[in-house]
């Protein structure tokens, strides 16, 4: 919720300052560019681990991802569409991100035609009226894309548009990709028109040996007088796995690198919307694009819903992970709610139908609809979340809303686990299986919070930490955040008998001016490329070395900014040690591993920075990155030192 987020953000800025001030007071000035060889050594700590005594399981689904339309995560981000405002929504600024083209002596005008569109979902269009045009003096429209149109050499860009022409003689339509700086056309295609009703047209623009750039625009022009109506103009680059209407490859690969096991979708606040009208009505996000109206999203901009429910599910399928499906539960961010009972019934039915769309076979109504949309096979599902952050609903209606939706879902699908977004005080026989907790904290606060679940009761619902982040760094987390995140992950691993799933938020940010609504965010990008934050690396390392059991362990004598997690993988017989030294001094350790074969070699992956503020960026993407090393272990006790401001993930083979 924005007002909450603003408070959170200013609090977190205060906390960041406090964190910085405390760290400056604590020991030594913040490190300069390199860690000094003379760094203070803290007294050695004794760590003891008995790998033969597994005290609790580690959830195999602990690490996943959370997503929603924020920071141009989908439109202008993951969803590969290159044209912004492709459906010609008109504001007081006119058709934003589009321009009228009148080359040479061409004369033309354009206007919104509210009465002419290709579908009920898109009932309006742009009408281009050309008074004068000829070859070399064309008239038409141009799109500046999302902060430019990225183009690469020898690449095919597939386009389409809907058009209605009174007379086909206004055409053909010429599509050109033009460099903003030189005016040179980098690719060109011609599309013949049919007179009469609305039709969908396709074009392909293939570049030659061009230099990669994002300072390009698209022009669609005609060279004859007449009128033409245009709607849903699209241009797609090659996508991940060449999926039509698919995703950006680099961002899909970045996400795969996190080793996630699930995707919580579609939000977040995006599920709810600002008002009751803006809820995530999934039925309006499926089927042909021309039948998707789009909707106002809560993070200030319009969502095309080009990345709709089926695309979310295919995104999961591509990454071989499962959806954690959040269904709308009748609360809007500005405080309204749908009354439980009769008023809520249509939304209960929508939730039941949605699960059928995801999981039903083609003999079911909504399973058949999914098959018609191109995906006959049902998707796997284990968890359904009811709402988002319903602790904001001060009316107290969530207990009854949860109960009503849970009852219907359990009746239709008893096999799935249900997640509540806040503890349900009067469950009316519908206890949640899991409760979703969210934490956004300054790094120092996150470190102070690591014992939160140690003594939490194990008898009630399990915990899903569905949103969490240490909040320092803009647009992406700095190393201070990565340390807070790593400290927090050690605590989630230790408590993973209770915490079955966790997902950092937000995941994605378009770093262009105006692209971001929230910081920090895990992965940054612009039109041409992407980079990952130190926090991303910390998560990727933790998730890539998860283990399945927590052995008995203890530590004495460590500094209060030192955190660790020990897990054992019973299949590979590897002890995974995560060591987090968030202080500015060395942390010496004497590690005694008992209960199994003594490891003789340690593979160490280290993530280190010189200061809490050091970070990665689009211009310096590799500044902080994991580095591999190894140590030979001599004797029974391994003497190992973790350098200051360092996260280490260590594999000790036990066989
Ligand atoms: O992650 C950003 C926002 O924070 C989410 O949309 C919301 O659930 C939380 O308040």
């Amino acid at each position: 919720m924005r007002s909450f987020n603003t408070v959170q953000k200013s609090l977190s800025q205060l906390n960041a300052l406090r964190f910085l001030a405390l760290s400056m007071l604590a020991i030594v000035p913040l490190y300069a560019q390199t860690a000094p060889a003379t760094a203070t050594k803290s007294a050695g700590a004794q760590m003891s681990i008995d790998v033969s005594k597994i005290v609790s399981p580690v959830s195999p689904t602990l690490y996943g991802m959370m997503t929603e339309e924020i920071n141009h995560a989908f439109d202008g981000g993951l969803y590969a569409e290159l044209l912004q405002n492709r459906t010609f929504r008109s504001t007081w600024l006119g058709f934003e991100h589009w321009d009228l083209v009148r080359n040479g002596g061409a004369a033309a005008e354009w206007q919104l035609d509210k009465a002419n569109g290709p579908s009920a979902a898109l009932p309006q269009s742009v009408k281009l009226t050309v008074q004068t045009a000829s070859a070399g003096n064309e008239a038409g429209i141009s799109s500046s894309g999302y902060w430019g149109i990225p183009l690469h050499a020898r690449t095919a860009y597939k386009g389409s548009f809907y058009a209605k022409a009174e007379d086909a003689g206004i055409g053909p339509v010429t599509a050109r990709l033009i460099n903003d700086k030189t005016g040179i056309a980098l690719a060109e295609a011609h599309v013949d028109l049919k007179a009469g009703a609305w039709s969908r047209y396709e074009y392909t623009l293939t570049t030659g040996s061009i230099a990669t750039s994002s300072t390009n625009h698209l022009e669609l022009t005609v060279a004859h007088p007449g009128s033409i109506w245009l709607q849903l103009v699209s241009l797609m680059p090659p996508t991940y796995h060449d999926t039509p209407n698919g995703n950006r490859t680099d961002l899909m690969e970045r996400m795969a690198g996190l080793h996630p096991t699930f995707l919580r979708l579609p939000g977040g606040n995006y599920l709810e919307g600002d008002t009751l009208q803006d809820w995530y009505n999934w039925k309006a996000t499926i089927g042909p694009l021309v039948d998707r109206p789009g909707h106002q999203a809560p993070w200030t901009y319009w969502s095309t819903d080009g990345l709709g429910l089926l695309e979310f599910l295919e995104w999961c399928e591509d990454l071989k992970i499962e959806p954690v499906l959040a269904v709308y539960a009748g609360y809007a961010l500005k405080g309204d709610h749908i009354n439980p009972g009769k008023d809520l019934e249509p939304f209960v039915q929508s939730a039941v139908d949605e699960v059928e769309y995801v999981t039903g076979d083609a003999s079911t109504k909504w399973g058949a609809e999914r098959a018609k949309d191109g995906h006959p096979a049902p998707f796997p599902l284990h968890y359904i979340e009811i709402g988002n952050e319903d602790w904001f609903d001060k009316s107290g209606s969530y207990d009854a809303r949860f109960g009503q939706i849970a009852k219907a879902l359990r009746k239709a699908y008893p096999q799935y686990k249900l997640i509540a977004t806040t503890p349900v005080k009067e469950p009316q026989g519908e206890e949640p299986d899991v409760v979703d907790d969210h934490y956004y904290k300054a790094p120092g606060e996150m470190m102070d919070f690591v014992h939160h679940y140690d003594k939490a009761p194990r008898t009630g619902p399990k915990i899903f930490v569905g949103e969490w982040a240490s909040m320092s760094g803009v647009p992406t987390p700095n190393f201070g955040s990565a340390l807070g995140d790593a400290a927090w992950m050690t605590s989630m691993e230790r408590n993973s008998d209770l915490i079955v799933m966790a997902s950092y938020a937000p995941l994605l940010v378009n770093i262009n001016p105006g692209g971001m609504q929230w910081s920090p965010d895990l992965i940054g990008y612009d039109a041409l490329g992407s980079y990952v934050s130190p926090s991303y690396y910390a998560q990727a390392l933790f998730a890539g070395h998860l283990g399945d059991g927590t052995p008995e362990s203890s530590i004495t004598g460590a500094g209060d900014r030192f955190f660790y997690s020990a897990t054992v993988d019973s299949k590979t017989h590897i002890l995974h040690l995560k060591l987090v030294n968030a202080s500015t001094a060395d942390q010496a350790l004497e590690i005694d591993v008992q209960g199994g074969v003594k490891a003789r070699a340690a593979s160490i992956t280290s993530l280190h920075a010189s200061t809490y503020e050091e970070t990665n960026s689009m211009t310096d993407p590799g500044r902080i990155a994991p580095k591999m090393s190894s140590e030979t272990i001599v004797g029974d006790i391994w003497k190992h030192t973790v350098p200051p401001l360092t996260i280490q993930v260590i594999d000790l083979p036990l066989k």
Side-chain angles (χ1 to χ4, degrees), residues 86-88 113-126 161-164 196-201 229-233 288-292:
R86 67 184 180 186
T87 56
F88 301 101
D113 187 338
K114 291 191 174 169
N116 256 307
S119 63
L122 299 177
Q124 35 189 57
S125 59
V126 58
F161 58 86
Y162 283 78
K164 182 171 102 83
W198 283 96
S199 293
R200 182 173 182 276
Y201 299 89
W229 288 257
L230 292 161
Q231 184 50 290
L232 193 50
V233 180
L289 295 181
V290 73
D291 296 328
R292 302 186 196 183

Side-chain angles (χ1 to χ4, degrees), residues 215-454:
T215 47
N216 306 292
H217 62 276
L218 172 81
E219 280 188 9
L220 295 183
T221 57
V222 291
H224 304 97
S227 292
I228 183 170
W229 288 257
L230 292 161
Q231 184 50 290
L232 193 50
V233 180
S234 170
L235 184 67
M236 296 292 273
T239 58
Y240 189 69
H241 288 176
D242 288 328
T243 305
N245 197 43
N247 293 333
R248 247 174 87 155
T249 300
D250 61 334
L251 296 180
M252 289 296 280
E253 286 171 351
R254 299 290 192 193
M255 289 189 274
L258 281 170
H259 309 290
T261 55
F262 66 86
L263 178 67
R264 174 176 172 237
L265 64 92
N269 293 162
Y270 185 56
L271 174 73
E272 307 159 276
D274 273 343
T275 69
L276 294 177
Q277 285 70 49
D278 300 329
W279 69 292
Y280 188 79
N281 180 5
W282 65 274
K283 288 179 186 169
T285 75
I286 56 172
L289 295 181
V290 73
D291 296 328
R292 302 186 196 183
H295 76 283
Q296 181 60 49
W299 296 102
T300 70
Y301 55 96
W302 185 259
S303 170
T304 66
D305 290 323
L307 197 158
L309 180 60
L310 183 59
E311 287 77 19
F312 277 117
L313 299 169
E314 289 175 337
W315 165 5
C316 293
E317 185 170 65
D318 277 348
L319 295 184
K320 302 186 173 54
I321 62 179
E322 278 200 14
V324 170
L325 181 70
V327 297
Y328 179 66
Y331 178 70
L333 287 172
K334 286 190 174 161
D336 286 347
H337 71 271
I338 312 270
N339 286 324
K342 206 166 170 20
D343 291 353
L344 194 65
E345 271 169 21
F347 300 94
V348 175
Q349 191 57 49
S350 165
V352 171
D353 292 349
E354 186 171 6
V355 177
E356 187 171 284
Y357 186 87
V358 176
T359 63
D361 63 34
S363 68
T364 63
K365 176 174 174 212
W366 288 102
E369 197 67 27
R370 187 200 57 240
K372 197 171 97 201
D373 293 340
H375 202 287
F379 291 91
L381 187 73
H382 283 89
Y383 291 94
I384 303 169
E385 178 154 13
I386 299 178
N388 177 61
E389 294 190 340
D390 286 271
W391 68 77
F392 278 114
D393 178 6
K394 301 301 173 224
S395 76
S397 71
Y398 184 62
D399 284 9
R401 289 189 286 110
F402 175 86
Q404 191 177 342
I405 298 171
K407 198 182 212 53
L409 286 174
R410 283 213 170 104
K411 186 164 172 232
Y413 315 104
Q415 66 273 41
Y416 302 133
K417 299 228 179 299
L418 301 184
I419 305 171
T421 71
T422 187
V424 182
K425 288 168 223 82
E426 289 177 39
Q428 298 154 4
E430 297 298 341
E431 278 278 2
D433 300 293
V434 181
V435 171
D436 181 0
D437 286 345
H438 294 177
Y439 302 112
Y440 294 103
K441 291 177 179 295
E445 285 192 328
M446 205 59 136
M447 293 174 201
D448 293 340
F449 196 62
V450 297
H451 296 295
H452 180 71
Y453 287 109
D454 290 355

Side-chain angles (χ1 to χ4, degrees), residues 598-645:
K598 290 275 177 198
R600 290 288 151 234
S603 312
I604 306 172
T605 312
S606 301
L607 199 60
H608 165 79
S610 304
T611 68
Y612 296 111
E613 288 70 26
E614 199 175 0
T615 196
N616 292 340
S617 63
M618 196 59 113
T619 48
D620 198 359
R623 190 167 182 87
I624 298 167
K627 292 198 174 51
M628 303 279 299
S629 63
S630 59
E631 274 180 34
T632 304
I633 301 173
V634 183
D636 278 354
I637 309 286
W638 180 32
K639 293 195 173 172
H640 175 65
T641 296
V642 187
L645 304 187

